[in-house]
Amino acid sequence: MSLENNLTLDILKKAEAGGYGIVAQTCYDAGMARGLVRAAERNKSPAILQLFPITLQAGKGPFLQYCLTLAHNASVPIAVHLDHATDAEHLELSIGLAEKEGIKFDSIMVDASHADNEAENIAIAVPYIKRCVAQGIATEVELGRLEGGEAGLREITGGMLTDPANAEQFMKETGAHILAPSYGNLHGSYKFIGGPKYKLEILQDLQRRFKDRIPYLCAHGTDELPDDLFQDLVKSGVSKFNINSWARDPYAETLSKALASKPFPDSEEEAIEAFAKVCDRFMNLLGSSGKA
């Protein structure tokens, strides 16, 4: 199947050409998904609704279909992406839903960065990438290795920076469409290492090599970053920004606090709006507001 009209790639292509970033917001439940769509529509911004494998495992096809219907019926372009599909069971579930039931992510991260080397990374990823492409699903891969862990995912140690000189061949051999480089970023808190220590020259090298063509660059590990560093990442060629706890934590905190004195529907609405306001901020910060 052709990827010519793939929604994720169309959103990222326009973002790269326009010099702005796209919020790829992780959503753990229906309320969060509604919050992202609310923010995207009122900011007239494209966006990506992102799920972790643990969420897909819990809700399976029905929840994915809910997210697809919500996103694809919005008044602005919103793609649905699976982040960090690392284990075989995650990949079989997500690709199997497309192959057997026609319930398709717009894009999937086939994450084999836990492999011992690039050759093994490629060998693990390619069979899954080929199956994704056959279903019209774009793919993201990681070159190098980010340390840390996220919800329901294995903890990764032994970070390895991306070597831009290897990127061309790596992307050619994997056949993937989005590249998540390792440039000093990590999953989790930067407090324990004295703040982020990014090597933006890695991104800038990749930007020169791949400008105006696939792969598009994705920033992982964005917790706790100052606003100016987000803007530096945009200038360094990043189009896709994975956002997680920035919006997740206010949602959970608002819901918990409101439930102490209000009925659930009212509490949920407050939580959705708290989530949406964080998305508002990042759409403005990354420059995607008004671009849809």
Side-chain angles (χ1 to χ4, degrees):
M1 184 177 289
S2 171
L3 291 175
E4 184 177 350
N5 297 313
N6 181 272
L7 185 54
T8 299
L9 298 184
D10 183 61
I11 289 170
L12 295 180
K13 180 179 181 179
K14 290 175 180 174
E16 186 190 48
Y20 56 90
I22 297 295
V23 171
Q25 176 63 56
T26 299
C27 297
Y28 294 86
D29 66 9
M32 293 184 185
R34 289 164 58 197
L36 172 64
V37 172
R38 178 184 296 183
E41 289 189 320
R42 71 187 178 198
N43 285 282
K44 295 181 170 53
S45 172
I48 296 174
L49 192 166
Q50 196 154 274
L51 303 180
F52 277 146
I54 192 171
T55 307
L56 181 64
Q57 283 181 311
K60 297 187 170 62
F63 185 65
L64 174 56
Q65 186 61 68
Y66 170 83
C67 291
L68 289 165
T69 301
L70 183 70
H72 292 173
N73 284 284
S75 61
V76 293
I78 303 177
V80 181
H81 175 86
L82 180 64
D83 193 25
H84 288 295
T86 301
D87 297 336
E89 63 179 311
H90 302 154
L91 289 156
E92 289 297 338
L93 173 58
S94 56
I95 301 172
L97 285 169
E99 293 172 334
K100 299 170 187 175
E101 301 182 39
I103 305 174
K104 304 178 183 182
F105 281 96
D106 296 299
S107 49
I108 292 174
M109 182 182 186
V110 180
D111 183 4
S113 61
H114 54 279
D116 290 335
N117 52 59
E118 288 175 17
E120 185 182 355
N121 186 330
I122 293 166
I124 293 170
V126 164
Y128 295 113
I129 290 172
K130 287 181 177 179
R131 288 169 63 190
C132 286
V133 171
Q135 295 297 318
I137 300 169
T139 53
E140 178 180 336
V141 289
E142 186 172 315
L143 176 57
R145 184 186 301 134
L146 274 70
E147 290 194 359
E150 297 190 88
L153 303 173
R154 68 178 75 187
E155 187 79 16
I156 299 295
T157 58
M160 297 187 300
L161 295 176
T162 297
D163 182 349
N166 296 342
E168 185 87 47
Q169 189 64 26
F170 180 79
M171 297 308 296
K172 181 179 179 180
E173 291 191 36
T174 59
H177 314 90
I178 303 163
L179 175 60
S182 174
Y183 47 88
N185 47 335
L186 57 81
H187 291 124
S189 178
Y190 292 94
K191 295 175 183 175
F192 306 107
I193 62 168
K197 296 177 174 60
Y198 282 6
K199 295 184 179 296
L200 293 177
E201 61 270 20
I202 292 175
L203 291 171
Q204 291 157 1
D205 191 335
L206 292 167
Q207 180 185 36
R208 287 190 295 269
R209 291 171 187 270
F210 295 114
K211 188 170 177 59
D212 299 325
R213 64 186 177 98
I214 286 173
Y216 306 112
L217 301 182
C218 175
H220 286 244
T222 64
D223 288 349
E224 304 168 356
L225 299 187
D227 287 1
D228 60 346
L229 190 45
F230 276 104
Q231 293 169 336
D232 286 342
L233 290 169
V234 173
K235 293 173 185 175
S236 299
V238 175
S239 301
K240 178 175 179 279
F241 285 78
N242 288 8
I243 308 293
N244 184 13
S245 64
W246 286 102
R248 178 201 67 198
D249 293 354
Y251 177 91
E253 290 162 5
T254 301
L255 182 61
S256 177
K257 183 177 179 180
L259 281 171
S261 60
K262 299 176 183 177
F264 187 87
D266 295 341
S267 301
E268 183 185 37
E269 169 55 30
E270 287 190 21
I272 290 170
E273 182 58 22
F275 190 91
K277 284 180 178 177
V278 177
C279 296
D280 290 343
R281 185 175 89 80
F282 280 104
M283 289 167 184
N284 282 284
L285 178 63
L286 300 177
S288 67
S289 292
K291 299 298 194 297

